Amino acid sequence: MFDLPVAICKTRSALPKSAENLAKLWLYRAMVKLDGKSRMIGAFGWESLGLVHYLGVDGCVDEKSEPVFALLESRLGELLAQFEHKRMRKAPPAALEKNVERLGKALRLSPTARKLLCFTLMMQNVRRIANGMEMLANLSTSDLYHSLSMILGVREGTVRRELSHTSPLVVSGLLTIKRREHVNLKEKLNTLPGDFAERMMIEAGSTQDLFEDVFFSSPPATLDKKDFAHMQAQIDILFPLLQSARKSRLTGINILIYGPPGVGKTEFARILARETASVLHEVASADREGEPIDGEARLGAYRVALNLLGSSKNLLVFDEAEDIFGRGDTLFAPPSVAQSCKAWMNQTLENNQVPTIWLTNAIKGIDPAFIRRFTMVFAMPPPPRNRMRSLVREIADDMVPEAAIARIADAEHLTPAVVTRAANVLRTVHDEFLPAQRANALRLLIDGVLVAQGHAGLPTLAANDTLAAYAPEFVAADANLNDIAAGIRRSRRGRLCLYGPPGTGKTAFGRWLAEEIGAPLHVKRISDILSPYVGMSEQGLAEAFRSASEDRAVLMLDEVDSFLQDRNGARHSWEVTQVNEMLTQMEAFEGVFIASTNLMDNLDPAAIRRFDLKIRFGYLHPAQACGLLESFCRALGLATPGAPHKARLSGIGNLTPGDFATVARRHCFSPIAGPGEFIEALLAEARLKKDGRIQSIGFVANG
């Protein structure tokens, strides 16, 4: 608060005389007619010396300079009579009066509504008025109507009508009332957040200039429609819908988009506006100082925007919609802002003239009654891995090698926003790092954000990242993996059970398949879902399937035998309920579900029947092992294996792709001299397995 807005008088010496007369008239009425004077004298003397001096009653004291109530009451009565009857101009500052008249015409506000708006804005801008209205404490909403009637000289019934839920002034969002709270008048009556009140004291070039702190023209999109190819199905509906809304002036068009932070929801809205030739406006979520604007104030800003942006070419975006729709995280949390004015909110979602795109991170707390009123509701998942790799490549801008890009892009919960921020930091300091160090620096920056968000971090980048590519020809499966991928790419659904020894490529197949069909991958492990509390594991399973369905992701569950063990051998009731829940979720899931297990014999027979395809992953055939050895030796800069090496390798019958990866990682800290040493290391891995099948061969090739 301040005594005098800079816009009114650059010297800040005094209010214009007519505005000061009006301010004092309001204050004298509040002190006399509403007994605000009682609070001017506190337990220790004058409550507000500044206000006492401003009202000219600082002489109402005894010989000990203590305030005398009788003198104060008499003097205030005299001053009120003077201001009530003496001929003097009493008017708001010229700029404020002009701006209120402009808004009044645009929103069809009555003279009383304009007077109420003017009073509220002056109270927010002039400290002495605010000080005086703070003396009117513990007001109910009915008390507010009476107080404003006395202060402004308007009939109480008229004030009540102009401040009702359905009045143009309140519906417009320009004024908000804390109807459920007993507070002083200054706190009871509010207007829009940010610098709106101050802007109203300055002569504006246009009506929208007054509101740039509460809703503003959105910046242009920086991405292209092709960057959201994974949202093509939604785009095919949205573009003609918004174009029809603009052409035919359709009402009640509301699009709800939800998804984790950083996936590009706001950028997607900007692309929609650009492609449909619309002018996009955003409802502000923070003021000029970066402080968050509360949900009630944001809803008021949205109301104003609806009333002022009636043109068919406009489009609104309301980011962080949980500010008004969210119920809170506790059982006894108060109703959301939208629920507190549910009738108006429902009516708005059905009749708003400006199409609105609502963005939120989650819809869990939104009342279903609101959700069903949205024209279209859909989730926005992170881009699929093939697109994420392209984005990381573009964002990283050659600062890190291709192998590192592929490894980073494989993170399940990675979003473009996280990569962008990390790349900007690295770009600032990249001269401090050797080229070989930059990949780990980028990984460290991204990893910190993912872990803080509660997700798994990135795997450590190693020198053998070039070996991360998955090649079906080096997997010993009893089905053609390329044909399976082609079929799933067409149908976008399937339930696969992958079984076989550890390291045979089951999990890697899931990652490869997701990339082949251009879908996100959700990998869930036992530790992600199992809970020691009864019923919580079942909830975890349901959430895993729900999340994958929303994101149109491939869902892969490792060690599925923990959830699908044969119910005939169950010793506890919760073991049965977990299997039942798993079967129910599998039956209802319409996407791609991959389960992997090392213990096929332990699965419940009913579960086995529900899988469309069971694929066994076994040990490498000799030709596959030899081909994989050549690939790894080439990547590690080792000599090309000769016939003796291949003969020796062919005698190891229980090798897996995972064994080759293990030996390659060892090479990073314990270098391998040649293919012979590589084979010896593989042999050591094979001997640790219980089902070792190693033929005895007379010599070992070295070098």
Side-chain angles (χ1 to χ4, degrees), residues 116-135:
L116 287 164
L117 178 60
C118 189
F119 167 79
T120 305
L121 291 168
M122 283 190 68
M123 178 173 63
Q124 291 192 340
N125 274 295
V126 183
R127 190 197 315 166
R128 295 308 176 211
I129 300 177
N131 290 159
M133 300 310 148
E134 287 175 342
M135 301 297 164

Side-chain angles (χ1 to χ4, degrees), residues 84-102:
E84 291 276 16
H85 303 294
K86 185 177 179 181
R87 288 190 174 183
M88 60 176 70
R89 176 168 167 74
K90 298 182 280 288
L96 174 62
E97 191 169 28
K98 184 175 181 179
N99 288 330
V100 168
E101 286 302 308
R102 174 184 287 172

Side-chain angles (χ1 to χ4, degrees), residues 310-333:
S311 170
S312 60
K313 70 178 181 179
N314 288 309
L315 187 63
L316 267 169
V317 61
F318 196 116
D319 201 356
E320 300 179 25
E322 58 269 22
D323 284 352
I324 64 168
F325 288 114
R327 294 179 181 174
D329 299 326
T330 63
L331 180 63
F332 301 104

Side-chain angles (χ1 to χ4, degrees), residues 661-693:
T662 298
V663 175
R665 287 195 300 270
R666 185 189 311 172
H667 178 73
C668 296
F669 58 86
S670 180
I672 295 171
E677 285 191 23
F678 200 109
I679 294 171
E680 283 302 306
L682 289 172
L683 184 60
E685 293 294 325
R687 283 173 175 156
L688 294 175
K689 300 175 185 179
K690 293 180 180 181
D691 58 348
R693 295 179 301 194

Side-chain angles (χ1 to χ4, degrees), residues 646-669:
K646 295 179 180 180
R648 175 60 171 157
L649 186 65
S650 298
I652 308 175
N654 62 344
L655 288 176
T656 69
D659 297 327
F660 285 81
T662 298
V663 175
R665 287 195 300 270
R666 185 189 311 172
H667 178 73
C668 296
F669 58 86

Side-chain angles (χ1 to χ4, degrees), residues 4 81 132 227 286 498 510 516 536 609 621 628 692:
L4 181 65
D227 295 307
L498 316 181
E516 285 293 300
M536 295 303 294
R609 289 196 303 271
H621 304 305
L628 203 52

